[in-house]
Amino acid sequence: MKRLVLGILAHVDAGKTTLSEAMLYTCGSIRNLGRVDHKNTSLDNHELERARGITIFSKQAQLRTDKMELCLLDTPGHVDFSAETERTLQVLDYAVLVISGTDGVQAHTETLWRLLKKHGVPTIIFATKMDLTAADKQRVLCDLRGRLSENCVDFSAERSEQWCETAAMCDEETLEEYMQTGSISDESITRLVAERKLFPVLFGSGLKLEGVKELIEFIEAYTVQPQYGDTFGARVFKILRDNKGNRLSCMKITGGSLKNRDEINGEKITGIRIYSGAKYESVDEVTAGSVCAVQGLSDSFPGQGLGFEGQGDEPLLEPVMVYRINLPKGVDARTAMPKLKQLEDEDPMLRIMWNEQLRQIRVQLMGKVQTEVLCALIKERFDMDVTMELGGIMYRETVKAPVLGVGHFEPLRHYAEVHLVLEPMPQGSGVSICSDCPEDMLSREWQQSILGSLASKEHKGVLTGSPITDIRIRLIAGRAHVKHTEGGDFREAACRAVRQGLMKAENVLLEPWYEIKLEVPPEQIGRAISDIRAMSGEFETEGSGVIHGLAPVSELNGYAAELASYTSGKGRLVTSPAGYRPCHNTQTVLEGFDYDPEADLDNTPDSVFCSHGAGMTVKWSEVNEHMHIDTGYGREKAPEPVDRPRNFSLDDKELEAIMEREFGPIRRREYAKPVRIDAQNAVVEPTKREYLIVDGYNLLFAFDELNALAKDDLALARERLIDMLKSYRGFKDCELVLVFDGYKVEGNPGERETEGIHIVYTKENETADMYIEKLANDIGKNYAVRVITNDSLIRLSALRSGVLRMSSGEFINELKFVREQISGYLDGKR
């Protein structure tokens, strides 16, 4: 009998839990068909889930048909619980992606699609809610093919010639089969589905049980069970606790079998459970392909590989918001932290930590809904009424260039010295640790101790105290004492070396960025582009209404609601993590942090030396002078001697003879006679008048002081810019046109003249880019035109029009120079 693990995924409120309930009911696993609105579904059995009507925790259920055993994993659909969904994907054989027939592909649907692609999970698409009047089969199909994959094939239709052609185009081998036989075999379809080359689409209604039987029959017919070996292997995907507080490790057996009382990593299995909803069955043995909950493992964690399995992939989705947990009166942080750490044990992405400097408990979360659920969960589990406050973005830090860090730990009867090199690595590399230290300098055992100590600690940066990333820590030297060195000594020295290196380095603050896909009506494209520029984002356009780009997470917070407002609900924003990049407003962020790296005693950069029989602390800036090892790192090497050939004396005739012999006769250039110009009768063309066209908001946001002012008062920033350009125009005596996007100005005054500056506020459905491009093209032949902007599209159109281009940064420097000239002139007058 075929055994499969099938995941159910969907955007929130798409009908996923209803479909899961319908599948269980159709297969006879449950007797009564529950409903989400009636709060009686078998899978959403937690009180929080039934109260909110959403899935919060992934659940397991068992289905059986005549041909297969199916382990169904129902996953959360809300974006705030995406990390729970991603952990489940590691153990799936196949997935059913549920699409609402009325809503089509949503923003989070595309995120789930990327996750399924990353983990290589074969996917079947089920469009539910087709019984509603707003559901449109053809619209759903077009949406799927346009947003997810062109290889989405309707399996509810008859297998006509056109249908076969569509399916055959998914693969060359299948196309060849179709050309030869005129049909496609079931084996070929099964292979295409397993290889993610074809994505079957079925239609129905989970609530009305329509199409559910056909979905189950399709899974029976067109899926294949993975091949498993005899060697034991397992993948942990979830940690939970039962009503009695027992710790359970949910895992899929990927090879061999697991028996009760077996040992894993030195720990004995004390119980094996097969869950189906809230109920479970205790068994003595599980074989490959089974999903079970194991009792007895105290150090397991989601993503862990057991047996022959390696460690799982790093999660794509990671919380970037930090919240502060406020404890109720009378509850001490030291008492609360061990309890809260149980929740982190179940969901490692929470990363609950104690900030000693701020005396706060902090937690990383995905959004508002997760904060509310976490508060309710803490109340239910530990009877603590906590509240949460948004603490800001989760930043990271790295170094710009390699730097040497040294640490020495030598109180009385202890000794360790460590030299490390901190090197910047590509984006997304994390922290890697290696050793280039010779074993004749420091034994392998001590080197392993240093590397292990470095790997076990989360190292903080010195700008904001945020974790470091994209750094390689390389051990280059170390020294131990035969008698006095202990294991903990190297841990102290190594951590001090990292910190000392960071204090010396040129540090870079990193912030999380999102890759964005913004869809707006064509008439709103200018507004959307200006918004992305104001966020310090990067973008490129696709067609007349789609923008792809990157933007800081801090600037995108709340933008989805703003987008819906100015597009009347027609706009769509899809975001996905793009990793950590240099912060766009570093100085502003640093001013908001009150972090003193030297006052952080848990991460001190200073070293300890022995002096007169006692330990002596030496400041990090003076440590290098006291070190016992001189690695010579960073000092310039003396130039190596170069063997220079003898100089032979050759006159010009000998040299010319050699050249002719090697390369042939020398051809000397004949110069024409100079042409004399009649200065009296020469015609000199008149100098063209200078004309400046300025992209207003582009220049404004490039000017640091105006950019900062615009965040509080955009109108005032505009007037400041106009005043600067008035002075510039008066000094340079040129024509100046200043162009703004009109939608940002209330009432849109149109065009006006003020002290020689022609100020333009573009009309409705007209962007500043379009106006500048047309104006440059119209006057480019008659004036010496310069276009001031950073916009690559405008600069390209200016190049086509034959006018000069200048970046906003260059023009800002010119403005500052003119300002200095004016100041100098006025000082001279005084």
Side-chain angles (χ1 to χ4, degrees):
M1 183 176 286
K2 180 162 52 179
R3 177 182 292 172
L4 294 174
V5 179
L6 180 76
I8 306 288
L9 295 85
H11 186 279
V12 65
D13 294 332
K16 170 183 54 61
T17 301
T18 303
L19 177 62
S20 301
E21 198 78 5
M23 292 177 69
L24 289 170
Y25 181 79
T26 302
C27 292
S29 298
I30 56 175
R31 294 181 180 178
N32 299 312
L33 185 62
R35 290 182 52 158
V36 174
D37 52 346
H38 293 173
K39 302 180 181 181
N40 62 349
T41 58
S42 59
L43 293 179
D44 286 352
N45 47 54
H46 197 281
E47 289 183 9
L48 291 175
E49 294 176 313
R50 291 184 171 177
R52 291 179 172 270
I54 61 172
T55 302
I56 298 174
F57 311 102
S58 59
K59 297 291 195 314
Q60 173 184 348
Q62 307 299 322
L63 287 75
R64 181 186 289 268
T65 68
D66 295 336
K67 299 179 181 179
M68 67 176 179
E69 290 181 3
L70 203 61
C71 176
L72 190 69
L73 293 179
D74 186 21
T75 63
H78 197 284
V79 65
D80 281 10
F81 306 103
S82 302
E84 177 92 357
T85 301
E86 186 175 7
R87 286 192 291 269
T88 306
L89 296 184
Q90 302 176 75
V91 299
L92 298 184
D93 299 325
Y94 287 84
V96 173
L97 181 62
V98 182
I99 305 293
S100 169
T102 57
D103 299 329
V105 176
Q106 300 292 294
H108 188 52
T109 311
E110 296 187 49
T111 301
L112 294 173
W113 187 258
R114 284 193 293 270
L115 290 174
L116 289 165
K117 181 178 179 180
K118 175 195 172 188
H119 291 277
V121 181
T123 305
I124 302 162
I125 299 171
F126 187 83
T128 188
K129 299 186 181 181
M130 296 305 295
D131 56 315
L132 301 180
T133 54
D136 186 335
K137 181 177 179 180
Q138 289 305 316
R139 182 177 58 82
V140 171
L141 275 173
C142 291
D143 210 16
L144 291 170
R145 289 169 179 161
R147 296 183 180 277
L148 301 186
S149 173
E150 293 180 352
N151 294 351
C152 293
V153 179
D154 180 8
F155 269 72
S156 65
E158 294 183 6
R159 292 199 184 185
S160 61
E161 183 177 344
Q162 184 180 359
W163 185 94
C164 291
E165 287 180 3
T166 304
M169 293 299 293
C170 298
D171 176 62
E172 291 185 7
E173 184 179 336
T174 310
L175 180 60
E176 185 177 344
E177 176 190 343
Y178 173 67
M179 296 295 289
Q180 292 177 356
T181 65
S183 62
I184 303 175
S185 65
D186 290 349
E187 291 76 13
S188 295
I189 293 175
T190 301
R191 177 182 60 81
L192 290 174
V193 173
E195 294 176 357
R196 284 182 54 85
K197 293 181 179 179
L198 183 149
F199 302 100
V201 182
L202 294 96
F203 296 85
S205 169
L207 187 62
K208 300 289 181 65
L209 299 179
E210 296 172 1
V212 177
K213 183 180 178 182
E214 289 77 7
L215 172 63
I216 296 170
E217 289 174 349
F218 181 90
I219 296 170
E220 282 183 330
Y222 295 106
T223 57
V224 58
Q225 177 179 314
Q227 297 297 314
Y228 300 107
D230 296 330
T231 306
F232 171 73
R235 173 76 63 195
V236 181
F237 68 94
K238 181 181 174 68
I239 303 296
L240 58 86
R241 282 177 169 77
D242 63 12
N243 296 332
K244 297 180 180 179
N246 296 315
R247 187 179 191 272
L248 300 171
S249 305
C250 298
M251 64 182 72
K252 178 187 177 184
I253 310 301
T254 57
S257 63
L258 179 67
K259 298 179 181 178
N260 200 8
R261 316 307 293 178
D262 280 353
E263 284 195 6
I264 300 178
N265 297 337
E267 295 185 297
K268 186 172 290 187
I269 303 300
T270 58
I272 302 175
R273 303 177 183 179
I274 304 294
Y275 271 90
S276 188
K279 301 176 181 179
Y280 68 87
E281 176 188 359
S282 296
V283 297
D284 292 327
E285 181 180 7
V286 282
T287 56
S290 302
V291 174
C292 60
V294 172
Q295 187 177 346
L297 301 180
S298 59
D299 296 325
S300 56
F301 55 88
Q304 182 183 19
L306 303 176
F308 70 82
E309 290 282 1
Q311 296 305 315
D313 297 332
E314 289 294 320
L316 178 66
L317 302 177
E318 185 178 359
V320 294
M321 307 299 292
V322 180
Y323 290 78
R324 182 176 68 201
I325 299 180
N326 298 318
L327 298 174
K329 290 183 179 181
V331 177
D332 185 55
R334 288 174 295 182
T335 306
M337 275 299 288
K339 297 178 180 178
L340 297 177
K341 279 291 184 180
Q342 290 185 26
L343 300 176
E344 182 184 348
D345 181 39
E346 298 167 18
D347 185 356
M349 290 292 101
L350 292 178
R351 293 180 183 167
I352 298 172
M353 51 201 155
W354 169 252
N355 189 311
E356 183 63 36
Q357 269 195 312
L358 301 176
R359 310 290 295 175
Q360 296 174 355
I361 298 177
R362 296 198 159 199
V363 59
Q364 287 182 230
L365 298 170
M366 295 287 284
K368 184 179 178 181
V369 174
Q370 192 181 12
T371 64
E372 296 171 357
V373 169
L374 185 61
C375 288
L377 202 58
I378 292 172
K379 171 64 177 176
E380 176 189 308
R381 295 268 292 270
F382 312 119
D383 196 24
M384 290 192 296
D385 286 311
V386 303
T387 58
M388 296 202 186
E389 294 180 27
L390 180 60
I393 297 293
M394 187 65 189
Y395 293 94
R396 295 281 190 273
E397 297 180 30
T398 189
V399 295
K400 193 171 185 179
V403 64
L404 175 69
V406 294
H408 190 94
F409 186 70
E410 191 188 0
L412 187 62
R413 295 190 179 88
H414 293 270
Y415 185 95
E417 182 166 307
V418 173
H419 292 239
L420 305 168
V421 175
L422 310 182
E423 300 168 316
M425 295 292 285
Q427 177 193 340
S429 302
V431 178
S432 60
I433 304 166
C434 64
S435 174
D436 285 340
C437 179
E439 291 188 13
D440 56 357
M441 174 185 285
L442 189 65
S443 69
R444 181 179 299 181
E445 289 75 19
W446 288 130
Q447 291 190 37
Q448 292 296 329
S449 174
I450 294 171
L451 299 181
S453 299
L454 292 172
S456 64
K457 180 179 174 64
E458 184 178 67
H459 302 279
K460 291 184 177 181
V462 296
L463 297 176
T464 62
S466 302
I468 62 173
T469 189
D470 299 342
I471 288 180
R472 179 169 65 182
I473 304 176
R474 182 161 56 90
L475 173 65
I476 62 169
R479 177 175 291 180
H481 192 280
V482 175
K483 183 177 179 182
H484 297 310
T485 298
E486 298 178 359
D489 298 345
F490 273 113
R491 177 181 177 84
E492 287 285 343
C495 294
R496 292 166 192 264
V498 172
R499 196 69 169 173
Q500 198 258 359
L502 292 173
M503 293 293 290
K504 292 161 52 181
E506 183 179 356
N507 294 275
V508 180
L509 185 66
L510 305 176
E511 66 176 339
W513 285 57
Y514 277 157
E515 182 180 337
I516 61 174
K517 180 182 178 183
L518 189 58
E519 299 177 21
V520 295
E523 62 270 17
Q524 301 288 354
I525 192 75
R527 164 71 188 270
I529 289 174
S530 297
D531 287 344
I532 296 175
R533 285 177 181 156
M535 297 174 189
S536 302
E538 307 168 9
F539 70 92
E540 59 182 23
T541 58
E542 176 189 326
S544 61
V546 181
I547 302 174
H548 296 273
L550 297 164
V553 172
S554 58
E555 299 292 335
L556 284 168
N557 192 19
Y559 185 68
E562 184 181 343
L563 173 68
S565 175
Y566 77 75
T567 62
S568 301
K570 298 177 182 177
R572 182 197 297 248
L573 175 66
V574 180
T575 62
S576 59
Y580 278 81
R581 295 168 178 260
C583 185
H584 76 288
N585 58 340
T586 299
Q587 195 55 45
T588 305
V589 172
L590 294 182
E591 289 172 0
F593 274 84
D594 185 21
Y595 182 69
D596 181 1
E598 297 190 54
D600 190 350
L601 300 181
D602 291 335
N603 299 277
T604 177
D606 303 332
S607 287
V608 178
F609 289 81
C610 187
S611 176
H612 304 292
M616 173 187 69
T617 301
V618 177
K619 293 291 290 181
W620 64 269
S621 55
E622 304 170 3
V623 164
N624 290 69
E625 303 169 6
H626 294 75
M627 282 294 154
H628 296 174
I629 304 173
D630 182 11
T631 62
Y633 182 86
R635 287 201 297 266
E636 293 186 6
K637 296 182 180 179
E640 298 180 0
V642 179
D643 293 333
R644 301 185 183 277
R646 287 179 56 197
N647 292 324
F648 294 93
S649 179
L650 294 172
D651 59 22
D652 291 343
K653 290 184 178 180
E654 290 175 315
L655 184 59
E656 186 171 321
I658 294 171
M659 296 294 289
E660 287 184 347
R661 187 169 62 247
E662 292 294 324
F663 303 104
I666 300 174
R667 297 178 180 177
R668 304 186 187 280
R669 182 177 178 181
E670 294 182 3
Y671 293 91
K673 293 180 179 180
V675 178
R676 294 187 179 183
I677 299 173
D678 186 359
Q680 292 182 351
N681 299 321
V683 178
V684 180
E685 292 185 5
T687 304
K688 293 182 179 180
R689 181 156 178 77
E690 186 178 10
Y691 220 110
L692 259 66
I693 306 175
V694 180
D695 187 350
Y697 285 123
N698 192 290
L699 179 61
L700 187 150
F701 291 125
F703 217 119
D704 291 339
E705 60 188 77
L706 295 181
N707 188 15
L709 179 60
K711 293 179 179 178
D712 299 322
D713 192 337
L714 182 60
L716 180 58
R718 264 197 317 266
E719 293 302 318
R720 290 274 178 89
L721 177 61
I722 292 171
D723 291 340
M724 291 179 184
L725 294 179
K726 286 178 183 176
S727 301
Y728 175 89
R729 191 262 170 196
F731 186 85
K732 286 285 189 176
D733 189 26
C734 62
E735 300 295 329
L736 199 151
V737 179
L738 180 61
V739 186
F740 292 104
D741 282 309
Y743 75 88
K744 283 183 177 284
V745 183
E746 191 172 351
N748 195 337
E751 302 185 17
R752 62 186 174 95
E753 195 87 17
T754 172
E755 295 185 25
I757 298 180
H758 189 69
I759 303 174
V760 178
Y761 298 94
T762 58
K763 302 174 183 177
E764 187 177 357
N765 300 332
E766 183 184 37
T767 65
D769 306 6
M770 297 162 59
Y771 186 95
I772 292 171
E773 181 178 354
K774 184 176 183 302
L775 180 61
N777 189 55
D778 291 343
I779 68 174
K781 295 180 180 179
N782 303 320
Y783 295 89
V785 180
R786 277 193 298 165
V787 175
I788 313 300
T789 184
N790 282 334
D791 190 295
S792 57
L793 294 176
I794 300 179
R795 289 163 69 89
L796 179 60
S797 65
L799 179 65
R800 292 173 182 156
S801 302
V803 303
L804 298 175
R805 293 91 58 210
M806 175 179 278
S807 71
S808 296
E810 292 172 323
F811 186 67
I812 288 170
N813 292 332
E814 187 173 328
L815 274 176
K816 292 178 179 177
F817 176 77
V818 167
R819 192 188 301 175
E820 291 173 2
Q821 294 288 315
I822 295 172
S823 299
Y825 177 80
L826 294 176
D827 291 340
K829 284 287 186 181
R830 295 192 188 98

